Amino acid sequence: MELSQLPLVLWNSIESYDNVYSKQKLETDQERPKAKVSIKPAQHVFRGDTVTLRCDIDGEGVTSWQYSWYKDDSSYSTSELQEHTFRSVTESDAGKYFCYGAERGGSRSSQDSDAVTLTVSDRPQAVLSVSPQKWLTEGDPVTLICEVYGSSTGWTFSWYNLTASSDNRYHFQRLSDNSRGAGGNYTVSSAALNHTGVYVCRAERGEPAYKTTFSNTQPVWVTALIVFSGVSPRVSLIISPSRTQHFPSVSLSLSCEDQRNSDRWNVKRYTDRWGLQDCSSSVWGSQTGSTCTISSTITSDTGVYWCQSESGENYHPVNITVHYGVVLESPVHPVTEGDTLTLRCLYQNSTPPNLSQSSLRI
């Protein structure tokens, strides 16, 4: 007999049974507590992070649960522990997780939790920027902004002053921490000459702490506020030949002149190609006393040079360029109102190297 030919009474019996079963199942599900999954420190984490999945079940009268974990709809683990921890998470741990619980020694069980997605990415990179600009005058405000791309929560930020020793090994002097969040700001409300330097940042989160790599470097240059009092600055960087633009393949001398002769000074530099370096390194220059000599300049010597004391104080940054063709000969240091200023264009292949000259009173 075909199903369509079943007696109407039998159809009504089947339909009535289905309705009763559905109603009982709904009532049973409503009575069963629903499990809930949470992830710490976040659903988007990075390789090497410590990650904890937690299954919470609010089951009245149940004192002990057996927790079952599922990943991507497949059984993953069963444990009496409420938490499942990855000590050093990898990309293979990424996926959708849910849990449910069964009463140990009893008959009750929970509903399945909603699934949560764990995403694992490469080790994060902190990114440092400077606002409003890198070249400042004494008294200007400046902010170092540290961010972690691809993640927005749970980070604590630290800033470091980067220094280089005579063997060009880097050392990190920690400045400060900031509040947690998507990014952190380290603000100096009134820049001083000694804030000249090269900075990096790093972020960390979790317990034990998981740290990002160090950020890109960001230099900050603070120049003296010109006060027409006739008082010379304590430390000056004396350049010979006395200009900021130079030709390749010539000798260049840089000397730190201390008005009080109280410290031995080293010449430091920061270039796009080589980063932070000390002149006493044999790689690019040689230092005698407080004088640094570059025997034969090359274009990659273009950068910012300044004086640093043995105690780490930084003074008088000067932007020096090395290039072919024509250079402008102008004063290295600021001039005073009313002085006569002479500007001269020099051509590398002329003898003497002189194109034109102009004088003006400012």
Side-chain angles (χ1 to χ4, degrees), residues 39-341:
I39 303 181
K40 291 183 178 181
Q43 288 187 230
H44 182 187
V45 296
F46 300 95
R47 186 190 310 128
D49 257 341
T50 296
V51 179
T52 299
L53 302 175
R54 180 182 175 90
C55 186
D56 286 297
I57 305 171
D58 186 15
E60 185 176 348
V62 178
T63 59
S64 182
W65 293 98
Q66 184 88 4
Y67 299 93
S68 295
W69 289 96
Y70 286 79
K71 176 188 175 186
D72 298 330
D73 296 325
S74 297
S75 179
Y76 186 74
S77 71
T78 301
S79 171
E80 296 177 0
L81 300 177
Q82 191 175 6
E83 295 182 340
H84 180 79
T85 299
F86 303 95
R87 293 299 176 188
S88 182
V89 73
T90 66
E91 285 84 351
S92 64
D93 296 316
K96 291 184 177 181
Y97 290 86
F98 70 89
C99 71
Y100 82 93
E103 183 182 14
R104 283 189 292 166
S107 59
R108 295 186 63 186
S109 63
S110 74
Q111 300 181 57
D112 293 346
S113 71
D114 294 330
V116 294
T117 299
L118 176 65
T119 302
V120 181
S121 301
D122 288 337
R123 185 175 176 87
Q125 173 71 44
V127 179
L128 181 64
S129 58
V130 176
S131 178
Q133 58 188 0
K134 300 174 184 179
W135 281 94
L136 308 167
T137 302
E138 284 181 283
D140 287 346
V142 63
T143 299
L144 304 177
I145 304 168
C146 192
E147 299 175 284
V148 179
Y149 286 168
S151 181
S152 61
T153 58
W155 296 104
T156 297
F157 299 88
S158 300
W159 289 264
Y160 301 81
N161 187 4
L162 186 64
T163 60
S165 57
S166 58
D167 57 0
N168 282 328
R169 291 185 179 181
Y170 285 164
H171 303 276
F172 300 87
Q173 181 183 356
R174 187 168 176 168
L175 301 179
S176 177
D177 286 339
N178 205 290
S179 59
R180 297 177 180 270
N185 295 341
Y186 180 83
T187 299
V188 176
S189 59
S190 180
L193 292 177
N194 198 39
H195 287 120
T196 284
V198 180
Y199 297 88
V200 296
C201 72
R202 185 167 66 176
E204 63 180 62
R205 72 178 184 188
E207 185 61 44
Y210 175 77
K211 298 179 180 179
T212 68
T213 58
F214 281 105
S215 71
N216 55 302
T217 57
Q218 284 287 4
V220 173
W221 316 118
V222 184
T223 57
L225 178 65
I226 301 174
V227 179
F228 303 110
S229 60
V231 178
S232 300
R234 177 192 169 186
V235 182
S236 296
L237 181 62
I238 307 302
I239 302 174
S240 180
S242 183
R243 56 177 184 265
T244 58
Q245 297 182 23
H246 300 270
F247 298 118
S249 303
V250 299
S251 177
L252 180 62
S253 173
L254 306 104
S255 299
C256 293
E257 186 177 277
D258 186 350
Q259 298 295 324
R260 298 186 299 191
N261 296 317
S262 57
D263 284 297
R264 182 180 182 276
W265 297 84
N266 291 324
V267 176
K268 304 284 186 177
R269 77 172 186 179
Y270 181 85
T271 64
D272 289 339
R273 181 170 181 178
W274 307 111
L276 179 63
Q277 291 181 311
D278 188 298
C279 179
S280 57
S281 165
S282 59
V283 175
W284 61 276
S286 60
Q287 182 151 334
T288 302
S290 296
T291 298
C292 173
T293 302
I294 303 175
S295 59
S296 182
T297 54
I298 56 177
T299 56
S300 59
D301 288 325
T302 293
V304 178
Y305 294 71
W306 69 97
C307 298
Q308 185 180 83
S309 71
E310 291 180 322
S311 59
E313 295 178 299
N314 298 311
Y315 289 94
H316 209 144
V318 176
N319 190 19
I320 294 176
T321 60
V322 179
H323 58 266
Y324 293 95
V326 178
V327 301
L328 176 66
E329 185 176 72
S330 61
V332 173
H333 307 299
V335 296
T336 305
E337 184 178 5
D339 287 350
T340 297
L341 172 64

